[in-house]
Amino acid sequence: MAEFLANYGFLIVSMVLGALLGLSLYLPLMTGQLSLASPGFYALGGYIAAILSTQVFKVSGGLFPIGLVLLEMLIAGVVSGILGVVVGIPALRLRGIYLAIATIAFVEILRILSLNLDITGGAVGIFGIPQPFQTPLEYLWIALPLLIVSMVILYRLERIRVGRAFTAIREDELAAGAMGIDPTYYKVLAFTLGAILAGVVGALSAHFLNTWNARQGTFDASIVYLTSVLIGGTRTFVGPVLGGMVFTALPEVLRAIADTAGLPLWLAQFLRDGRLIIFGLLIVLGTIFFPQGLVTPDLLKRQRHK
Amino acid sequence: MKKSTFLGSALLLAFASLLSACNQTNSGPNATTTANPSAGAVSSNSIPIGIALAQTSNVALLGQEGIQGAKIAEKYFNDKGGINGTPIRLVVQDTGGEEAGAINAFQTLITQNQVVGIVGPTLSQQAFSAGPIAERAKVPVIGASNTAKGVPEIGDYVARVSAPVAIVAPNSIKAALKINPKIEKVAVFYAQNDAFSKSETETFQQTVKDQKLDLVTVQKFQTTDTDFQTQATNAINAKPDLIVISGLAADGGNLVRQLRELGYKGIIIGGNGFNTSNIFAVCKALCDGVLVAQAYSPEHPNEVNKVFRTTYVNQYKKEPPQFSAQAFTAVQVYVEALKALDQKSKVTAMPLPQLRTELNKQILAGKYDTPLGEIAFTPVGDVIQNDFYVAQLKVDKDGNNGKFAFLK
């Protein structure tokens, strides 16, 4: 067990972070808004933590205090939240594919900024980020509670008035407006909540990855997380959590399977080198056979009635 | 409808297995040593050395060149008797192009494959991410293609055999001045989204200033760009006598092509990104005459390089690229350090943590005669290398055959 944890500690935490990012994409989707801005806020949160921990909070020797990490996460959350409102109000006047394009543009702007500013270290990025923990696995102390709290909040959110309003807007924005729901308010709210979550996760990831640069949270990353949410399921928060975890783990699981003793050489070779082909194949098959995602509300209901 | 989707997936599967079959044949006689998960401590029958390079993603070209070099080294040193009779065994893990991939590969190599040391990762940015993992686990790492500032400083266990850009790059400007002493105005281009090009251009610009040349313009582009008309025109309007480009093969090659098409006649210097034969496919005859500084020359006269070069040419039908030579060198450093250690006390009998620590000390203490020439390490683990080269691209008129011709 200890060996397993040492081996896969990094992956387990990555899976939790993947699930959190999935949730941050799911929040705007609750109101039916296809936003790809989450990775931008993720990158922003990471830069905030990276800059603060390497330049502002100078800790000499030993481990970086956990309190400061939490403070960075708080600051990242607040900044992302404010920026979320500022970006959300104009951007959310757009719908569907136009909103997606606008949010991609937002992510690009942040990326180009980080490439050109001195404080973000240009293309090399920021390295030597101090560590609050001895082993990667210990990041679970922060990541897991964060995931549980987010899931509890989302569980409640789906059942109170605000969440119902989100769903109403998702199903039919005009009808929801006619019922007295202010679509702009709720859409910006959902978008901002997603932004805050992404920013907080980014701040933690910067420490977790030891280094932060402009390649984090790019357009490619948006697509990967969007895929994981869509395959996981977009109708209940369990879907993105599952999808985020599975899709973060998949390339590494395939690597582990490839290392199993006794496999024919060509199969092991294929599992190792062709990991991404299998990854793509699963996405194609997933969208064909599970158009609603793996986890749908019906599925959860059926489980309950058994 | 259902039937056709099944058909589609079946086709995809067939295609995928075909691809894997291609991979198989390509690996040639030196088939991959499969990772052995059950390997405990260093067994008496082989000593595992980890190779964490990119086999997938957009940096796979560089990673694969590295793996080719490492595999040649594995066979060469095992044929010579390995570590005083015990063969070495390479365990290859793919890092992909991402930071997380590099950490996962390192983690697997350290805890599961139980390697004595690691060669890699491919990118400097990945090194910043995965280096601390090895540092904490006290496992020696030798970077074979990390040239950014700060890599050896990650920790005591992180070293590199790839000379930093600050040392390699200025040589090509000096060579250009030798060819044309009248050079005054210099235009600089760089790919601003590439970490390597960014740090390389800083070195180039500093050299230009140190040589009392006039830096007339600095133009930025992205590695993903294909159209450089604006930047090229801007630069040509400043009438430079010399153009210095830091970019990767695809974008840099296209930039050279467009500069020549727009009528620029002066000397062009390419950065380390041009250091691959893939460049010839991009700019064909138009990149004839481009100068590139290199940390490796296939013509280096020592014995080990002659064998390396011959093996590489026989296997891949072209001259060995720099990354292959550097990966070979990294494996060689492990082999020679292990040999030296083995003479003091049997390495196969040593517990793994102790072996890793001792090995790291031995690596930094030794001197090695490698394909790169004679090298040693500074106390922080940066490479001390004596020989650097400047090559000029020579391409046929029809643009089909290109090679790097080394300037004296």
Side-chain angles (χ1 to χ4, degrees):
Chain A
M1 190 64 190
E3 196 188 324
F4 174 83
L5 288 179
N7 238 338
Y8 291 108
F10 178 83
L11 185 62
I12 293 167
V13 182
S14 300
M15 284 166 70
V16 174
L17 294 179
L20 280 162
L21 277 178
L23 284 180
S24 80
L25 229 68
Y26 169 72
L27 272 159
L29 265 179
M30 279 178 85
T31 59
Q33 307 305 309
L34 179 62
S35 151
L36 297 174
S38 279
F41 292 106
Y42 171 72
L44 178 74
Y47 271 118
I48 289 173
I51 292 167
L52 285 178
S53 62
T54 52
Q55 293 180 16
V56 183
F57 310 135
K58 289 225 161 85
V59 179
S60 52
L63 294 174
F64 193 70
I66 296 170
L68 287 181
V69 177
L70 295 175
L71 179 65
E72 285 166 14
M73 288 165 70
L74 182 72
I75 296 172
V78 171
V79 175
S80 300
I82 295 169
L83 192 65
V85 176
V86 173
V87 174
I89 291 174
L92 290 166
R93 288 169 182 276
L94 303 167
R95 264 177 230 170
I97 190 83
Y98 301 102
L99 175 66
I101 293 170
T103 48
I104 291 169
F106 166 73
V107 174
E108 272 302 281
I109 291 170
L110 286 183
R111 188 177 74 90
I112 301 291
L113 267 181
S114 64
L115 281 173
N116 283 290
L117 291 177
D118 278 337
I119 194 164
T120 52
V124 183
I126 297 168
F127 54 89
I129 298 175
Q131 295 298 304
F133 299 111
Q134 279 292 349
T135 61
L137 188 67
E138 287 172 72
Y139 275 90
L140 276 187
W141 288 120
I142 298 182
L144 204 57
L146 189 62
L147 179 65
I148 292 169
V149 168
S150 313
M151 284 173 73
V152 169
I153 291 176
L154 273 158
Y155 178 82
R156 282 300 303 152
L157 189 64
E158 282 180 359
R159 279 154 188 81
I160 59 174
R161 188 174 181 282
V162 179
R164 303 270 188 224
F166 286 176
T167 316
I169 296 170
R170 179 181 73 199
E171 296 302 333
D172 191 331
E173 196 179 323
L174 277 180
M179 287 192 299
I181 295 169
D182 179 358
T184 314
Y185 172 79
Y186 285 106
K187 283 197 292 192
V188 174
L189 180 67
F191 182 81
T192 308
L193 286 175
I196 293 173
L197 187 58
V200 170
V201 177
L204 185 59
S205 295
H207 285 279
F208 183 56
L209 286 179
N210 299 311
T211 174
W212 202 252
N213 54 54
R215 302 190 310 146
Q216 312 301 330
T218 52
F219 175 62
D220 300 2
S222 325
I223 297 303
V224 172
Y225 287 112
L226 185 68
T227 315
S228 67
V229 172
L230 291 180
I231 303 268
T234 53
R235 295 296 149 120
T236 155
F237 71 93
V238 186
V241 171
L242 184 82
M245 286 188 166
V246 168
F247 275 79
T248 315
L250 198 59
E252 291 309 311
V253 171
L254 292 174
R255 187 206 295 274
I257 296 175
D259 281 349
T260 327
L263 280 183
L265 188 64
W266 67 268
L267 186 61
Q269 189 76 24
F270 174 57
L271 285 171
R272 203 172 297 123
D273 297 346
R275 284 181 298 145
L276 298 180
I277 300 177
I278 300 175
F279 192 79
L281 203 65
L282 283 178
I283 294 174
V284 174
L285 295 180
T287 38
I288 293 173
F289 295 111
F290 302 96
Q292 289 252 323
L294 290 171
V295 185
T296 56
D298 289 347
L299 185 78
L300 293 181
K301 239 177 248 162
R302 231 180 297 149
Q303 283 297 323
R304 225 165 278 146
H305 289 307
K306 253 181 199 169
Chain B
M1 184 63 208
K2 200 99 195 181
K3 201 175 168 191
S4 69
T5 54
F6 269 118
L7 206 70
S9 22
L11 265 174
L12 259 172
L13 257 173
F15 176 66
S17 39
L18 257 178
L19 263 180
S20 76
C22 287
N23 255 333
Q24 271 296 297
T25 43
N26 276 347
S27 58
N30 269 331
T32 326
T33 327
T34 27
N36 180 3
S38 57
V42 178
S43 61
S44 54
N45 44 30
S46 67
I47 298 172
I49 297 174
I51 306 288
L53 294 171
Q55 284 166 285
T56 53
S57 91
N58 57 347
V59 288
L61 274 178
L62 306 182
Q64 278 161 0
E65 285 185 349
I67 290 171
Q68 290 167 354
K71 290 233 178 92
I72 293 176
E74 181 188 31
K75 183 160 186 316
Y76 173 71
F77 289 110
N78 280 342
D79 288 350
K80 282 180 68 175
I83 314 299
N84 306 327
T86 316
I88 56 161
R89 175 168 55 89
L90 298 188
V91 185
V92 182
Q93 291 290 0
D94 174 27
T95 60
E98 308 243 310
E99 283 74 2
I103 293 184
N104 278 321
F106 268 52
Q107 201 83 56
T108 311
L109 286 170
I110 292 168
T111 49
Q112 199 172 331
N113 303 133
Q114 305 270 323
V115 296
V116 295
I118 298 173
V119 177
T122 305
L123 299 175
S124 297
Q125 288 162 328
Q126 291 179 314
F128 290 132
S129 202
I133 302 286
E135 177 69 21
R136 262 179 268 167
K138 298 202 186 329
V139 178
V141 176
I142 300 181
S145 54
N146 311 137
T147 43
K149 203 177 133 205
V151 171
E153 285 81 5
I154 291 171
D156 298 338
Y157 285 81
V158 183
R160 65 173 161 200
V161 292
S162 39
V165 270
I167 295 176
V168 184
N171 293 313
S172 52
I173 292 192
K174 286 173 195 152
L177 283 171
K178 223 183 255 175
I179 295 172
N180 178 7
K182 286 190 198 135
I183 289 173
E184 274 174 16
K185 293 179 175 174
V186 185
V188 167
F189 286 75
Y190 74 97
Q192 65 166 167
N193 62 337
D194 180 60
F196 179 79
S197 302
K198 172 96 182 348
S199 55
E200 189 181 55
T201 196
E202 280 162 16
T203 307
F204 273 134
Q205 292 179 26
Q206 191 55 45
T207 314
V208 167
K209 280 176 204 147
D210 292 348
Q211 299 281 341
K212 305 268 186 301
L213 300 172
D214 183 15
L215 184 62
V216 287
T217 176
V218 177
Q219 299 285 333
K220 300 173 189 177
F221 59 91
Q222 309 259 328
T223 50
T224 45
D225 285 351
T226 47
D227 176 21
F228 306 93
Q229 301 286 335
T230 326
Q231 294 101 320
T233 319
N234 283 347
I236 289 173
N237 286 342
K239 300 212 172 6
D241 311 310
L242 172 68
I243 286 181
V244 183
I245 301 170
S246 297
L248 303 180
D251 46 327
N254 267 319
L255 177 55
V256 170
R257 201 163 52 82
Q258 294 178 19
L259 279 168
R260 291 296 190 208
E261 282 166 359
L262 288 170
Y264 174 71
K265 296 263 186 319
I267 301 178
I268 296 179
I269 288 176
N272 199 25
F274 284 56
N275 228 330
T276 153
S277 43
N278 298 316
I279 189 90
F280 300 117
V282 183
C283 53
K284 307 250 175 195
L286 288 174
C287 51
D288 189 56
V290 171
L291 295 174
V292 185
Q294 299 194 318
Y296 167 70
S297 158
E299 280 153 33
H300 189 78
N302 68 2
E303 203 47 50
V304 60
N305 185 48
K306 273 181 201 154
V307 180
F308 169 62
R309 182 186 182 182
T310 323
T311 320
Y312 192 95
V313 172
N314 285 342
Q315 213 165 326
Y316 300 103
K317 310 287 172 244
K318 58 177 184 184
E319 292 288 330
Q322 179 182 314
F323 289 126
S324 301
Q326 286 173 330
F328 182 99
T329 301
V331 174
Q332 181 181 357
V333 167
Y334 275 120
V335 170
E336 291 189 5
L338 281 166
K339 266 190 204 164
L341 203 57
D342 197 58
Q343 267 153 13
K344 285 183 229 159
S345 62
K346 201 90 187 106
V347 289
T348 44
M350 228 185 272
L352 191 56
Q354 190 197 343
L355 173 57
R356 285 167 169 172
T357 315
E358 296 283 322
L359 179 59
N360 188 55
K361 277 189 213 145
Q362 185 60 45
I363 286 171
L364 295 182
K367 275 199 172 58
Y368 312 89
D369 191 22
T370 69
L372 303 178
E374 285 194 7
I375 61 164
F377 293 97
T378 65
V380 286
D382 212 346
V383 66
I384 304 170
Q385 187 179 346
N386 301 320
D387 307 309
F388 293 103
Y389 312 88
V390 178
Q392 191 161 29
L393 308 194
K394 292 279 180 214
V395 194
D396 292 355
K397 276 272 177 293
D398 56 2
N400 287 334
N401 291 303
K403 67 176 181 104
F404 289 90
F406 287 83
L407 301 178
K408 288 283 174 296

